[in-house]
């Protein structure tokens, strides 16, 4: 005990190691016990969601909460680096402006109201079904058409391949929607 | 995509970012890579440290320019003159790589006698129909090629119907397997000679006159870049939307491809063209397209009254007799089996008639105008913010007020979801909230760390991101939303078995789900995308195993191999064991990192040089070997003679690296697949203060579509004194596109808090503006205010004896988020280039006046006053 205390005494450490008092010998108990915020976290591998460089990310999380998202040094593309946007991926997930409830605006209403997810899903399904029922064309001049142009979709370049696959499959291959577009052109 | 697609076969970057480190010269144009792709830019920096010359051609001096060897400011919209000048220089000074050009490109191919080049007809190629404003491309075919005809009529293909993504390849207009060549390259109608004549007037003098680049500066660039060619040197070209967002965007990329083919730079380390994409999976969203005119793997959607009458006709139209597209039927049948499962049978043409037919322009800008005209009822927006991010924002927002219902899915309350209560149109009294009948659903979305799935990055690399935590509250992934919505529709369709619901009833829609919210398994979707052998149930490891007899399925043939076994997900593998990153993710096709890499060896299969040794023929083992998966048939020797009866790559000679093309060659000249000509030709932007010096009869790209109407007006350029300056828009490092993923974040908002207009000292003096003053920028569509950033980074250019000023404007702001500002995209017009229907954002005209525009309705009064002022 006493030996331990003495060995941590900065003066003794300085004498023993010849250091100048600005290194580990000056650490307080608190400093010595500091740990990185990622200590004890689980790590999963992620990919930066901003531009298309495809930087590797390490996603640190503990008890179901995101703790930090950092560059992945093992990535052969990014070699651990992230730009200002990529470095902010943690905040992208955790900032107070995140939506967590479905908001609904009635026709002519001046403001939002909250509705629950199941209700919203049913209402959306009803509207799609109704518009499709009225506007779907099976044939034109005796030729197969199987199409509706009354409903459109926009978006995809920020989504996963698997999500785009299901969107195209359901909207185009199932419902017959043709007005489907995203950010990509050339 | 068609720029690269028609030139070399696939609409994707041909190389990997890491390979930039092996370049001897890098030309960055139409991109500020250091700012927009900063982490990728480390490979440019590394190359430069190894002695590579870096050239940046851009209207603005940016951090890319600051770290380049040469910065060249040019006039926005003059890119084809500049690149044409480089092509001219290479041809005139014998700088082209002769062996490469002769064996690997179509330089020796002879054109038909009735082909007329734009140089000989004042800017129009043969086949122009002035009434329809479009080309019939039949005369562009090779001599000896047969046009695809039925009963004496040309097969209609897609030329009438619009679209362009699927035409990333040849073989649409004719069978180009047979053609005449002249290996001496002297025949006056061989492509090499046609190319020489086509670019004869793109001289250093013309570059100076049109681009504002002094001849000595241009020649320094030409000498520097052309030196990166030959057996032991390579050069790479990097571009981004600074090229694509023009009314000639596809042809700008074509010009770059011609340059790279002449210099022998495709398929080699440190070579190629790196298309720099701006969203995490923008490449993925065309590979597996949420687009109207293509199906996954660049297969075309059937077009009504064109190629859609029978499956047989559709297959015939889009297949070739040689190269990989001979397998089109295998890919298509396997795809239909993925979507429609057991309901896709030989008897019902594999469910071909379940697919909807395209009847016109269903692209974003096309249907948005229909929305404005009240022809649409409902709209889904997932991860995009058109109220701020799309051209002519005023029209965009007013159009949404004509919808019956709108579903927006995003992480935050973006402008698109609240146009009805706080948009500039409400503030200015153009729209009243209580008059807007649109029902709006704003659905909280899951973030990338809250769901699993793959992004395809800018170099065709699929990388899996793993779910770390649950999304908050009612936030869900798009996968969840679409899957469960689909289950509801499937349920309704099962109860109403009408012909209308045939496709829905046939659609395969069973996925395992997990967790309390029943999240569908993304890996199960990836397995469907990858494909299976239906007789054994086993996952496939290569698209070469796909069959047309209904015994295989694959949702996207180019991705086959990403999930080759139940316990493997190559996109999620993370053990890179070489510089190109093999072992880390999956690059389509077949995990090839540099595509067309057969071209990295000489025609006889030996490496071009020790320095650029990459893939070569191992005579002992009788196979191709090297540092990458060979983008070629592994056991096909360099001296192989084509065998048409075998189809596929065996129908090509062993020295033809571009296997997507029916002649196996890189296309200096594109015989079919483009709507505005087989060779790039300079036209001015739709709004330009400069007369077209090359083709005075045709100021702008003839088949482009201005969509001009009262709510989408244009300046009367080239001589509209109301709009004397050139405007170009761009992005900043600290924000992302329309701000949905950045303006709500405190750190990023602090780094870039406010909209500004970047102008030169000379323009500031001319307009009487001091640094940090508010200015108002005006176009025929709108006016917006910004702070003036007066800087020598912007420089006026001398064009045809006149001083031309350019204004740079970042476009990230809107009225929501932590930092707000006027919407720069309100200034843009809705316009469409002929090939992919992209709008022109990088070169238009504007005025800039001191002071801030007034608030409320007075802003509109001021706009109208300014528009009426004409001398």
């Amino acid at each position: 005990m006493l030996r331990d205390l003495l060995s941590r005494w900065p003066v003794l450490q300085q004498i023993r190691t010849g250091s100048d008092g600005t290194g580990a010998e000056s650490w307080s108990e608190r400093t010595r016990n500091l740990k990185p915020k990622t200590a004890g976290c689980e790590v999963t591998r992620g990919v930066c969601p901003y531009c298309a460089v495809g930087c590797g990310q390490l996603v640190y999380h503990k008890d179901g909460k995101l703790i930090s998202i950092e560059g992945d040094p093992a990535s052969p593309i990014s070699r651990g680096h992230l730009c200002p946007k990529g470095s902010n991926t943690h905040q992208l997930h955790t900032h107070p402006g995140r939506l967590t409830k479905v908001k609904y605006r009635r026709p002519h209403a001046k403001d939002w109201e909250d509705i629950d997810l199941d209700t919203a899903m049913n209402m959306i399904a009803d509207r799609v079904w109704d518009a499709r029922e009225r506007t779907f064309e099976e044939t034109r001049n005796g030729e197969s058409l199987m199409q509706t142009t009354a409903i459109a979709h926009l978006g995809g370049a920020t989504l996963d391949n698997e999500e785009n696959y299901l969107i195209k499959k359901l909207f185009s291959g199932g419902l017959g929607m043709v007005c489907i577009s995203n950010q990509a052109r050339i | 995509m068609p720029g690269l697609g028609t030139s070399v076969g696939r609409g994707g970057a041909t190389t990997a970012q890491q390979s930039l480190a092996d370049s001897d010269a890098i030309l960055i144009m139409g991109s500020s890579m250091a700012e927009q792709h900063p982490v990728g830019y480390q490979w440019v920096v590394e190359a430069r440290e190894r002695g590579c010359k870096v050239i940046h051609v851009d209207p603005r001096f940016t951090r890319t320019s600051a770290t380049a060897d040469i910065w060249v400011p040019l006039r926005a919209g003059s890119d084809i003159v500049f690149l044409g000048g480089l092509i001219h220089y290479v041809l005139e000074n014998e700088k082209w790589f002769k062996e490469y050009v002769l064996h690997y490109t179509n330089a020796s191919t002879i054109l038909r006698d009735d082909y007329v080049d734009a140089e000989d007809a004042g800017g129009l190629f043969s086949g122009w129909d002035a009434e329809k404003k479009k080309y019939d491309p039949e005369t562009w075919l090779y001599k000896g090629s047969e046009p695809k005809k039925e009963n004496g009529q040309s097969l209609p293909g897609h030329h009438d119907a619009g679209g362009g993504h699927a035409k990333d390849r040849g073989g649409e207009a004719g069978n180009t397997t047979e053609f005449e060549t002249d290996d001496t390259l002297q025949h006056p109608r061989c492509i090499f000679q046609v190319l020489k004549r086509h670019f004869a007037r793109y001289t250093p003098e013309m570059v100076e006159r049109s681009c504002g680049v002094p001849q000595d500066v241009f020649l320094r660039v030409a000498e520097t870049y052309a030196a990166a060619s030959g057996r032991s040197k390579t050069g790479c070209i990097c571009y981004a939307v600074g090229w694509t967002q023009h009314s000639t965007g596809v042809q700008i990329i074509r010009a770059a491809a011609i340059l790279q083919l002449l210099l022998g730079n495709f398929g080699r380390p440190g070579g190629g063209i790196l298309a720099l994409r701006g969203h995490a999976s923008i490449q993925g969203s065309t590979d597996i397209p949420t687009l109207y005119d293509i199906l996954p793997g660049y297969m075309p959607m059937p077009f009504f009254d064109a190629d859609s009458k029978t499956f047989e006709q559709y297959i015939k139209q889009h297949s070739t007799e040689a190269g990989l597209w001979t397998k089109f039927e295998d890919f298509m049948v396997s795809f239909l089996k993925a979507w429609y499962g057991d309901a896709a049978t030989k008897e019902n043409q594999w469910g071909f008639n379940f697919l909807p037919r395209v009847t016109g322009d269903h692209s974003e800008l096309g249907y948005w105008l229909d929305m404005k005209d009240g022809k649409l009822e409902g709209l889904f927006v997932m991860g995009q913010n058109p109220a701020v991010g799309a051209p002519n924002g005023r029209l965009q927002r007013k159009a949404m007020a004509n919808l019956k219902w709108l579903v927006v899915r995003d992480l935050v309350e973006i402008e698109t979801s609240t146009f009805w209560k706080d948009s500039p149109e409400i503030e200015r009294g153009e729209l009243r909230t209580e008059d807007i009948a649109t029902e709006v659903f704003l659905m909280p979305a899951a973030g990338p760390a809250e769901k699993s799935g793959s992004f395809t990055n800018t170099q065709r690399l699929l990388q899996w991101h793993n779910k770390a935590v649950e999304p908050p509250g009612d936030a869900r992934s798009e996968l969840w939303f679409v899957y469960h919505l689909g289950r509801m529709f499937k349920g309704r369709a099962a109860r109403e078995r009408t012909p209308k619901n045939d496709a829905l009833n046939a659609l395969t829609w069973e996925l395992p789900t997990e967790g309390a919210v029943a999240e569908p398994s993304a890996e199960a979707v990836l397995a469907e995308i990858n494909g299976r052998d239906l007789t054994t149930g086993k996952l496939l490891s290569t698209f070469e195993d796909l069959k047309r007899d209904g015994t295989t399925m694959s949702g996207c043939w180019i991705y086959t191999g990403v999930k080759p076994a139940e316990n493997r997900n190559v996109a999620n593998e993370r053990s890179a064991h070489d510089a190109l990153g093999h072992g880390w993710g999956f690059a389509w096709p077949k995990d090839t990192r540099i595509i067309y890499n057969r071209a990295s060896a000489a025609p006889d299969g030996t490496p071009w040089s020790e320095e650029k040794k990459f893939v070569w023929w191992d005579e002992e083992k009788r196979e191709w070997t090297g540092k990458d998966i060979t983008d070629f048939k592994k056991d096909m020797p360099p001296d192989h003679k084509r065998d048409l009866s075998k189809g596929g790559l065996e129908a090509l000679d062993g020295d033809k690296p571009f296997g997507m093309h029916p002649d196996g060659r890189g296309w200096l000249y594109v015989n079919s697949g483009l709507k505005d000509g087989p060779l790039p030709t300079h036209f001015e932007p739709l709004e330009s203060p400069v007369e077209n010096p090359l083709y005075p009869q045709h100021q702008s790209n003839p088949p482009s579509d201005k969509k001009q109407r009262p709510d989408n007006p244009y300046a009367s350029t080239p001589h509209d004194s109301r709009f004397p300056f050139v405007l170009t828009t761009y992005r900043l490092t600290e924000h992302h596109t329309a701000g949905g993923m950045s303006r709500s974040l405190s750190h990023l908002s602090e780094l870039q808090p406010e909209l500004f207009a970047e102008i030169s000292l000379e323009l500031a003096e001319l307009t009487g503006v001091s640094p940090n003053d508010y200015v108002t920028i005006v176009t025929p569509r709108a006016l917006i205010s910004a702070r003036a950033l007066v800087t020598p980074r912007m420089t006026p250019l001398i064009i045809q004896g006149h001083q031309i000023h350019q204004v740079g404007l970042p476009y990230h702001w809107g009225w929501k988020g932590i930092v707000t500002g006027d919407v720069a995209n309100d200034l843009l017009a809705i316009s469409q280039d002929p090939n992919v229907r992209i709008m022109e954002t990088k070169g238009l005209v504007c005025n800039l006046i001191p002071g801030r525009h007034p608030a409320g309705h007075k802003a509109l009064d001021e706009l109208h006053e300014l528009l009426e002022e004409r001398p």
Side-chain angles (χ1 to χ4, degrees):
Chain A
M1 182 74 180
L2 184 68
R3 199 188 159 90
D4 181 49
L5 262 177
L6 277 174
S7 73
R8 280 195 271 124
W9 190 23
V11 176
L12 264 187
Q13 281 195 46
Q14 271 177 262
I15 293 166
R16 222 171 49 209
T17 62
S19 54
D20 62 0
T22 59
E25 66 278 5
S26 64
W27 289 1
S28 68
E29 189 66 26
R30 186 177 168 274
T31 306
R32 233 187 316 277
N33 290 324
L34 281 178
K35 289 198 174 69
K37 64 182 168 188
T38 52
C41 282
E42 279 183 72
V43 190
T44 53
R45 282 205 139 110
V47 181
C48 180
Y50 285 96
C51 85
V53 166
C55 295
Q57 293 187 327
L58 293 174
V59 180
Y60 294 89
H61 54 102
K62 200 186 323 190
D63 306 326
K65 293 236 174 326
L66 284 178
I67 304 299
S68 183
I69 298 182
E70 299 178 8
D72 185 348
S75 164
I77 299 165
S78 58
R79 301 190 283 195
H81 302 289
L82 290 175
C83 80
K85 290 191 288 285
S87 307
N88 231 9
T89 312
H90 177 250
Q91 203 190 24
L92 176 73
H93 288 84
T94 54
H95 73 92
R98 273 291 299 272
L99 289 166
T100 57
K101 298 287 285 176
V102 181
K103 293 185 173 193
Y104 172 63
R105 187 251 177 183
R106 285 175 201 279
H108 310 289
K110 292 201 162 177
D111 218 338
W112 293 116
E113 52 196 283
D114 284 349
I115 57 172
D116 62 57
L117 185 57
D118 280 351
T119 310
M121 292 296 284
N122 280 308
M123 287 170 80
I124 292 166
D126 286 345
R127 277 142 191 80
V128 172
W129 201 255
D130 169 64
R132 184 173 176 271
E133 283 292 308
R134 281 183 290 100
T135 60
F136 195 87
E137 268 187 272
E138 285 162 39
T139 58
R140 191 182 288 176
N141 308 330
E143 252 190 76
S144 181
L145 198 61
M146 300 297 278
Q147 178 216 69
T148 171
T149 53
I151 314 167
H153 166 85
L154 184 67
T158 61
L159 309 181
D160 296 340
N161 290 316
E162 295 73 21
E163 295 176 325
N164 278 307
Y165 182 78
L166 286 197
I167 293 170
K168 180 81 176 173
K169 184 175 175 181
L170 177 68
F171 284 4
S172 208
L175 294 172
M177 284 165 56
V178 282
C179 297
I180 292 180
S181 201
N182 68 38
Q183 296 93 330
R185 291 291 181 283
I186 313 189
Chain B
M1 303 288 158
L4 284 170
T6 55
S7 301
V8 285
R10 299 185 183 99
T14 70
T15 184
Q17 293 172 89
Q18 301 97 297
S19 190
L20 286 169
D22 297 323
S23 302
D24 298 286
I26 298 171
L27 171 64
I28 302 171
M29 190 168 165
S31 150
S32 176
M33 190 178 176
E35 299 188 347
Q36 266 58 265
H37 301 88
V39 178
Y41 194 68
Q42 67 179 303
W43 299 105
V44 178
V45 174
E46 187 160 320
R48 193 156 175 257
E49 283 167 1
R50 293 188 197 175
C52 167
K53 296 290 176 200
V54 179
I55 305 160
H56 187 219
V57 183
D58 198 287
R60 299 181 305 122
F61 182 91
T62 64
R63 281 169 276 188
T64 312
S65 329
T67 48
D69 292 277
I70 310 174
W71 169 59
V72 182
L74 95 166
R75 177 174 63 91
S78 65
D79 306 70
I80 289 180
V81 181
F82 192 89
L83 291 166
L86 292 176
I87 293 167
H88 173 84
Y89 173 88
V90 166
L91 291 171
E92 288 305 305
N93 295 285
E94 301 286 322
K95 301 282 188 187
W96 46 287
F97 187 176
K98 292 185 183 58
E99 255 184 296
Y100 188 105
V101 168
L102 195 62
H103 289 272
Y104 299 163
T105 79
N106 61 0
S108 62
T109 308
I110 296 170
L111 298 182
R112 279 164 54 138
D113 296 334
D114 53 0
Y115 166 73
V116 182
D117 191 81
E119 276 298 282
D120 303 319
L124 290 174
F125 295 91
S126 47
W128 178 247
D129 184 330
E131 206 172 297
K132 291 182 182 163
K133 281 190 72 185
K134 61 186 177 193
Y135 283 108
D136 174 349
E138 192 181 314
T139 57
W140 304 351
L141 283 176
Y142 303 152
K143 188 163 190 171
S145 296
E146 284 295 313
K148 284 190 179 174
K149 285 196 170 173
E150 210 171 59
N151 310 325
Q153 296 280 309
S154 283
L155 277 178
H158 286 180
H159 290 285
D160 290 336
H165 293 84
K167 301 187 311 125
D168 286 2
R169 54 199 173 88
E172 296 269 328
N175 175 11
T176 46
T177 311
E178 301 301 332
F179 49 86
E180 295 176 20
T181 59
D182 170 24
D183 285 349
T184 69
L185 303 184
Q186 296 307 310
H187 190 288
R189 299 189 70 77
C190 82
I191 285 171
F192 186 75
Q193 294 297 332
V194 170
L195 197 68
K196 266 189 157 177
R197 291 196 298 275
H198 182 83
F199 288 106
R201 291 191 298 142
Y202 292 68
T203 58
E205 298 77 30
M206 183 57 79
V207 170
E208 176 163 320
R209 220 176 122 196
S210 173
C211 311
V213 177
Q215 291 179 45
D216 60 323
V217 176
F218 169 74
L219 286 170
R220 208 175 130 222
V221 171
E223 281 159 21
T224 307
Y225 193 70
S229 168
R231 285 181 167 260
S232 56
K233 297 240 190 294
T234 51
C236 182
I237 298 180
C238 303
Y239 77 87
V241 295
W243 271 0
T244 59
Q245 293 182 347
H246 283 285
S247 52
T248 52
V250 168
Q251 295 287 2
I252 301 176
I253 296 151
R254 276 277 302 133
I258 292 172
L259 185 62
Q260 290 296 65
L261 284 170
L262 288 173
L263 295 174
N265 274 332
F266 281 112
R268 306 179 62 201
I273 294 185
L274 186 63
L276 292 162
R277 319 275 184 200
H279 296 81
S281 200
I282 201 144
Q283 179 71 47
S285 68
T286 63
D287 298 341
I288 295 179
T290 30
L291 296 169
Y292 82 98
D293 56 347
I294 43 173
L295 294 166
Y298 300 97
M299 296 192 289
M301 281 280 286
F303 278 54
F304 180 74
D305 204 23
D307 55 9
S308 66
K309 286 194 176 75
T310 64
F311 187 58
E312 197 189 350
Q313 186 200 17
Y314 170 84
I315 293 293
K316 190 174 163 195
Q317 177 67 25
H318 302 292
S319 300
T320 54
E321 290 192 358
L324 277 177
W325 286 116
T326 58
K327 285 181 69 68
F328 180 69
E329 190 172 351
D330 305 85
F331 305 153
M332 189 64 197
V333 171
S334 299
F335 164 72
L336 288 166
K337 289 297 289 182
W339 274 18
Y340 301 116
D342 294 341
T345 62
K346 192 167 174 41
E347 290 66 44
N348 71 359
Q349 304 182 328
W350 311 107
F352 182 59
N353 282 344
F354 293 145
L355 292 176
R357 295 327 193 226
V358 170
T359 46
D361 172 14
H362 311 306
S363 73
E364 174 191 356
L365 299 174
Y367 74 63
W368 219 275
L369 291 169
D370 285 345
M371 193 192 305
K372 177 78 188 335
D373 299 336
K375 295 181 194 160
L376 248 72
E377 291 195 20
L379 171 70
F380 290 92
V381 179
M382 303 191 197
Q384 199 164 340
N385 191 9
V388 173
N392 195 345
R394 291 176 65 204
L395 187 151
Q396 298 276 339
R397 298 184 293 265
K398 285 185 194 167
M400 286 192 288
N402 291 343
L403 287 169
K404 274 191 174 174
W405 52 267
L406 167 69
V407 179
V408 178
R409 295 183 47 80
D410 216 295
L411 298 168
V412 296
E413 188 179 298
I414 55 170
E415 284 87 352
T416 299
S417 69
T418 64
F419 73 93
W420 47 273
K421 69 168 178 173
D422 52 14
S423 65
E425 288 62 42
I426 302 287
E427 192 252 338
R428 291 169 183 175
E430 286 183 274
L431 294 175
R432 290 196 320 157
T433 299
E434 50 270 44
D435 296 338
I436 298 172
T438 315
E439 247 184 320
V440 185
F441 298 87
L442 175 58
M443 315 278 288
E450 295 155 358
K451 61 185 183 184
S452 293
S454 63
F455 290 142
T456 304
N457 87 341
T458 205
Q459 67 207 67
R460 297 168 286 100
L461 185 73
L462 280 83
Q463 299 184 98
W464 194 262
H465 59 91
N466 294 279
K467 177 175 171 176
V469 296
E470 293 294 331
D474 287 341
R476 297 287 185 272
S477 67
E478 269 63 39
L479 205 68
W480 183 95
F481 176 71
V482 178
Y483 178 63
H484 290 289
L485 198 62
R487 287 179 60 234
M488 294 159 91
F489 294 139
K490 288 280 290 179
R492 289 176 195 218
R495 290 190 293 275
E496 300 169 37
R497 293 197 169 268
T498 58
K500 181 188 297 183
N501 294 336
D502 280 352
L504 265 176
N505 281 318
L507 204 69
T508 57
W509 204 257
E510 285 302 322
L511 291 172
T513 59
E514 51 208 36
V517 303
E519 174 75 9
S521 159
E523 203 152 326
V525 180
L526 188 70
E528 180 175 325
I529 290 169
N530 179 86
R532 286 179 195 278
D533 181 328
L534 293 170
T535 55
T536 63
K538 286 210 169 95
L539 288 156
L540 297 170
S541 53
T542 166
F543 64 77
E544 285 152 2
D545 294 337
L546 293 173
K547 296 194 179 72
R548 61 189 66 188
D549 62 3
T551 59
T552 58
M553 64 84 119
S554 166
C556 180
W557 69 273
I558 59 175
Y559 283 4
T560 303
V562 67
K563 188 159 174 51
E566 299 297 341
N567 58 355
R568 272 191 82 191
N569 173 356
V570 183
N572 202 19
E573 291 179 2
R574 291 288 191 276
S575 48
H577 53 76
D578 59 23
L580 286 175
H582 290 99
W584 181 288
F586 175 86
W588 71 264
K590 297 195 295 182
D591 204 24
T592 313
R593 306 289 163 138
I594 295 180
I595 46 179
Y596 321 116
N597 56 28
R598 162 68 182 87
S600 71
D604 66 3
T606 59
W608 286 112
S609 64
E610 201 50 43
E611 294 94 319
K612 299 289 172 179
K613 194 174 175 179
F614 191 62
V615 164
W616 60 90
W617 175 253
D618 185 329
E619 185 58 38
E620 235 167 73
K621 289 191 191 146
R622 300 289 294 170
E623 63 176 34
W624 292 91
T625 185
K627 302 173 187 174
D628 199 357
I629 310 292
T630 315
D631 186 13
F632 202 63
K633 195 165 185 304
K634 195 166 174 64
D635 58 355
M636 195 165 94
D639 58 0
H640 170 81
K641 291 290 163 226
R642 70 175 192 168
D643 180 351
L644 285 177
S645 70
K646 292 228 165 106
L649 294 177
E650 284 173 283
L652 299 172
D653 287 342
D655 64 347
K656 296 290 172 272
F658 297 94
M660 305 303 293
H661 279 166
D663 56 359
R665 298 166 189 247
W667 285 0
L668 295 164
Y669 167 101
V670 169
N671 69 68
S672 76
L674 293 176
K675 292 185 177 164
D676 48 359
L679 289 170
T681 308
H682 171 71
F683 298 101
E684 288 295 323
L686 300 172
E687 284 183 341
S688 164
V690 173
E691 286 179 28
N692 186 349
L694 280 151
Y695 311 101
Q697 305 95 311
H698 299 284
Q699 173 72 3
S700 55
N701 195 9
S704 60
D705 190 351
K706 288 170 86 170
K707 302 277 178 197
Q708 190 161 6
R709 40 189 263 174
D711 51 5
N712 190 46
Y714 279 78
S716 321
T717 55
H719 304 293
D720 192 328
S721 57
R722 298 172 300 171
F723 306 104
F725 311 127
V726 172
L727 173 66
T728 188
T729 61
Y730 62 93
R731 290 193 198 178
L732 302 166
T733 313
E734 297 80 6
H735 280 299
H736 189 243
T737 66
M741 288 165 71
S742 64
R743 267 187 286 114
S744 48
L745 308 186
S746 61
H747 303 312
L748 295 175
S749 295
E750 186 175 353
L751 288 167
Q752 285 293 359
E754 194 170 4
L755 174 65
F756 55 84
E758 210 167 332
I759 60 172
S760 67
L761 275 61
E762 293 84 351
L763 180 55
E765 195 182 323
L766 181 74
T767 51
V769 169
S770 301
N772 295 327
D773 279 0
Y774 276 108
V775 293
T776 295
I777 301 112
V778 192
T779 72
R781 277 75 58 184
L783 81 185
I784 67 162
S785 289
R787 295 269 198 173
L789 179 63
V790 181
T791 167
R793 298 198 301 248
M794 296 297 285
T795 180
L797 300 171
I798 305 296
I799 312 284
Q800 299 174 21
H802 301 285
Q803 200 170 45
I804 295 284
H805 294 280
Q806 310 198 82
V807 177
L809 207 58
Y811 72 91
H812 303 292
W813 283 270
W815 65 90
K816 299 186 80 76
I818 296 172
V819 290
T820 59
D822 278 358
V823 180
N825 284 330
D826 287 8
L827 298 171
L828 306 177
I830 288 180
S831 63
Q832 293 185 334
D833 93 294
N835 289 302
V836 296
R837 302 188 180 280
I838 202 167
M839 62 284 172
E840 189 153 67
T841 71
K842 299 304 171 192
L844 59 151
V845 295
C846 72
N847 196 7
L848 181 138
I849 53 178
R852 209 173 181 175
H853 68 71
H857 197 267
K858 284 185 181 157
L860 292 177
D861 296 340
E862 180 162 318
L863 175 64
H864 295 143
E865 259 170 50
L866 290 164
L867 294 181
E868 274 162 25
E869 262 177 38
R870 304 197 81 162

